[in-house]
Structures are given as C-alpha cells and as structure tokens.
Amino acid sequence: MPRHSASGQPPPPSSPPPVLPPPPPAESSATDSRAAAPAGTGPESWRFHGAVLAAGTFVVGTDAFVIAGVLPGIAADLHVGLGAAGQLVTVFAVAYAVLSPLLAAFTAGWSRRTVLITALVVFALGNAATALAPGYPAALAARVVAAAGAALYAPNASATAAALAGEAARGRAFALVNTGLTSALILGAPLGTAIGGAYGWRSTMWLVTVLPLLVVPLLAARLPRIHTDTPRGLRGRFAPLADRGVLYMLVVTVVVFVGIYIPFEYLSAVYGPVLGPDGGGPTAVLLLVFGITGTAGNLVAGHLADRFGPRRVVLGAALALTVIFGLVPLSREWLPAALFAVAVSGWVSFSVTTPQQHRIAALAPQAQSVVVSLNAAALYLAVSLAGGLGGIGLETVGAARLPWLAAGFTLIAAVLTAVHRPKAERTRAEQAWAERARADRAEGTAGAA
C-alpha cells in the first residue's frame, strides 16, 4: 500500500512511494445542525446535495492519492531524487494540517457555498501551478496552495452535508461525502497514474486541475446558501481548543489513526512474502480490495452511527482492528488469507472516520468548522507519526510483527473511548435517544390510527 510521507522520511525499499490519507473526508464546517434548513433540503434532497459534495471530495482524494504514482516522473523532470520528490507529499500534508483549522475559523461567517466554491478554485489554481512549475521550489510552493484549497473544502463538505441532513442523519451524511475519498482510492488514483504513465506527470496535474472546475458549477447551481451561527471574533471561534472534551477526542483520533495507518503505509512490507520482490500487481490488487471494502464499511458505519450512536461504532471498530491486526502475521504467507485480512481491515478501518467526525462535531455545534477541521489536522498528525513509528518498528521488530504495534495503538484507542465520555457527548446522546423515542412513538400512534 502506498505510504504517506508526511513524516518526511523516505519510504523503505519494500514500500511504494507515499500518498496522502483519506482525509477525513472527511469534515468541517457547515452550519449548526440546529439552524433552520434552507428550502429544498428535506430528507431526500440532502442526499443529492451530499452526492454533489462527494464529487468534490473525489477530486481532492484523487489529487492526494495520485501523487504516489507519478513521483518517479516528477523526480526525473525536476532533477531531484525520489526522496526529495516525496517531500511534495510532506509539504501538502503539513500545510493541510496547519491551514485546515485556521481557514475554518477565518471563513466561519461565510456562506458554505461560497467557502466550498472558493476552496475548489484555490485547489485548481494550486494544481495548475504545480503542472506549470519550472523547478522544484516552485512545485513545493504550488503544493501549499493546493493544500489550502483541499483543507478548506474537505472538512466543510462533510459538515455542510451533515447540516443539510439534520441531526438524525448526520452519520449517513458524513459517510456519503467520505465515499468520494474512498472512490478516489479505487478509481481516481489508478486513472491519474495511467494518464501520468502515458503522457507525463504534468498531464495528471492538469487532470486534477480540470476536475474541480467541473464541480464548481454544480455547487453554484444546486447547493443552497447556508450560513453558520458562529461566535464573533477569532477568540470565540477557537474557544473549543480550551474544551477538555474536544482535546480528549482529538487524542483518540491521533491514537486510533496511528494504529490504522502503520499497516496501511507499510502494506508491501507486511505482506512481502506473498507479494514477492516486485509486488506491483498483487499490491495493486490489495489496494483495490482495501478501497472497495473500505467504501462499504464507511457507508455502513454512517448508518450504524445514526442508529446506535457514534461512540459505540468507534469502540467496536477499534476493538475489531486490535484483533485483526493481531492475526495479520498468520495471513502474510498465503495470498487468499492476505486478501481476506486486507478486505476485513479495510472495512473496519473506514468504519472509524465517519463516527469520529460525528462525535467531535456534536461537541461544539456552534463551532463545527473549527472542531472538525481540528480533527482533520489530528488525522494528518497521525499519518506523520505512523510513518515514523512504522519505520522504527520495521527496523526493530520486523515486518511480520509490525501489525502488533498497530494493534497496541488501536487497543489504547478502544480503552480511551471506553473509559471516558465527554459530558457534552453524553448530553447530546441522551437528547438524540429521546428524540428517536418520540419519533418511534409517533410512528406507532400513526400506525395504530
């Protein structure tokens, strides 16, 4: 599996070039779900709007994943080593993590439609500048611009869909937008890599320049204007940073995703015995299986979060990943077993993203743009830590035991989720259960009548 280089370390010889993670879809800022929904945003129309927003996350995800496939071409054209070319990924990841909460706070008072359109335009400009870059420094600067657009779009797309869907369907809305990212792993990255192989890496960058511009008219024409009821001033918008519940949730995000991304980034090393010395074809198959099952797991997790609560889904997924990663060493010698292990881990890994977004968004309904963007930043921090810790683990305990290191992190995340529940989350959960009970009683009364 491609490895993220946000840590700044070059991947080991056994692993392919780095890529960015499925940003949390997915997640930031839309409106407070308690605000009045705009006209035309009923229980059915939110799905259409969510699909349009998912098209944008597909574009962002394609850009993030496809860089790994064209790094050799970038390195040769810009006359730098492969490790230096990999820093294009590192710069993008760091800029995304830093800019995501900052841009969310600065644009919190804007219409969400304006924010999303602006984000895709900035993203397209960054990719165009990358395609035109005459040298390595210009390419690095262009990736920062592209990261700013991605950091502004991906979080806002998820939270906007959640606001349109309402409290009862928040998990499904997050999951729908996150599907754009998992689809990019399955379709966008292979397509972009193939274009880069046939016509050069700059052609790939032009592809991810044009795609966001195709989504902009859809957003302008179909997405309703939504405004956020946000606190005035930057101090008020950053107030969630002083909330211990929010900080605790961010720690859980970092810990669980370190566990998820250690085997993800070093998949070619973990499954080395069945992939062989070259490993290109089998690795691509494992990547495809991971993406397909991850897409399904993401959608199911959204429904489960709405039905049983996001905390239970995160806890169950973290415990399941602990067991799965503990058993991975038994599957690395036989390809069918490896395919099964990757399929199950893909399903469960993508079952964490949406519920964790759901949890943190509920903690600060008046500042969703900030807290969900902070969650995205925490995820990128986890990716960086996973790269470094995975590299150390590869040298110390070896590839066969590397999944056990990941299992340790997912177990810690499960414990953290089980032993502490922020007061705000408890309150919101009780309100949600009460509302669901009233709805069930109303349905029962209507049926009896």
Side-chain angles (χ1 to χ4, degrees):
M1 181 75 74
R3 162 185 183 222
H4 307 317
S5 287
S7 62
Q9 298 181 4
S14 59
S15 67
V19 299
L20 290 177
E27 338 161 20
S28 158
S29 110
T31 61
D32 181 350
S33 60
R34 297 175 300 176
T41 58
E44 295 302 324
S45 62
W46 74 260
R47 292 183 174 85
F48 173 79
H49 298 310
V52 173
L53 294 167
T57 57
F58 172 81
V59 174
V60 172
T62 297
D63 175 81
F65 291 124
V66 79
I67 290 293
V70 297
L71 279 181
I74 293 175
D77 189 28
L78 300 182
H79 307 292
V80 296
L82 189 60
Q87 298 312 303
L88 294 175
V89 180
T90 303
V91 167
F92 186 99
V94 172
Y96 187 109
V98 172
L99 293 174
S100 184
L102 294 176
L103 292 174
F106 279 112
T107 61
W110 297 12
S111 159
R112 297 302 91 191
R113 184 168 70 181
T114 301
V115 170
L116 293 166
I117 291 174
T118 301
L120 287 183
V121 171
V122 171
F123 181 68
L125 290 174
N127 286 329
T130 305
L132 295 171
Y136 182 65
L140 287 174
R143 293 310 290 162
V144 172
V145 176
L152 189 58
Y153 183 85
N156 276 287
S158 289
T160 299
L164 291 170
E167 181 73 25
R170 177 182 287 171
R172 282 165 286 172
F174 277 139
L176 177 58
V177 177
N178 286 343
T179 301
L181 291 169
T182 56
S183 300
L185 183 63
I186 301 170
L187 301 174
L191 174 63
T193 301
I195 291 176
Y199 303 105
W201 71 273
R202 295 182 189 270
S203 297
T204 298
M205 299 313 301
W206 283 119
L207 172 68
V208 289
T209 297
V210 172
L211 288 178
L213 298 179
L214 297 179
V215 179
V216 166
L218 292 175
L219 294 175
R222 303 298 300 176
L223 191 68
R225 287 188 176 275
I226 309 173
H227 289 273
T228 311
D229 183 17
T230 56
R232 293 185 178 182
L234 290 179
R235 178 177 296 182
R237 293 172 186 175
F238 279 117
L241 287 173
D243 187 325
R244 292 183 180 180
V246 170
L247 294 178
Y248 190 91
M249 202 74 73
L250 293 175
V251 170
V252 174
T253 296
V254 171
V255 174
V256 72
F257 280 104
V258 166
I260 288 172
Y261 278 107
I262 285 176
F264 180 93
E265 296 183 16
Y266 290 95
L267 183 141
S268 60
V270 171
Y271 294 100
V274 297
L275 297 180
D278 180 21
T283 300
V285 173
L286 294 183
L287 175 66
L288 179 63
V289 169
F290 189 92
I292 292 174
T293 59
T295 299
N298 167 63
L299 292 173
V300 172
H303 285 272
L304 293 177
D306 288 335
R307 181 67 181 85
F308 300 105
R311 178 172 173 267
R312 293 182 179 182
V313 180
V314 172
L315 177 59
L319 290 173
L321 285 171
T322 301
V323 175
I324 294 166
F325 292 154
L327 297 176
V328 162
L330 302 178
S331 67
R332 63 193 303 267
E333 303 286 343
W334 188 38
L335 185 58
L339 286 170
F340 178 77
V342 169
V344 176
S345 63
W347 181 293
V348 183
S349 294
F350 278 99
S351 297
V352 175
T353 305
T354 290
Q356 190 66 5
Q357 289 177 347
H358 193 304
R359 296 181 72 197
I360 200 164
L363 289 180
Q366 295 293 333
Q368 288 189 29
S369 61
V370 176
V371 294
V372 186
S373 295
L374 286 170
N375 190 61
L379 191 150
Y380 271 80
L381 173 61
V383 171
S384 300
L385 292 174
L389 294 173
I392 295 172
L394 202 62
E395 296 297 327
T396 55
V397 301
R401 295 180 178 85
L402 196 60
W404 292 352
L405 176 62
F409 280 96
T410 55
L411 179 59
I412 293 172
V415 172
L416 292 174
T417 302
V419 301
H420 178 69
R421 191 178 192 182
K423 182 179 179 180
E425 185 179 29
R426 291 197 304 270
T427 302
R428 300 281 293 188
E430 292 169 359
Q431 293 173 348
W433 280 109
E435 291 175 3
R436 188 175 295 116
R438 285 195 295 269
D440 290 342
R441 286 195 298 269
E443 290 179 3
T445 303

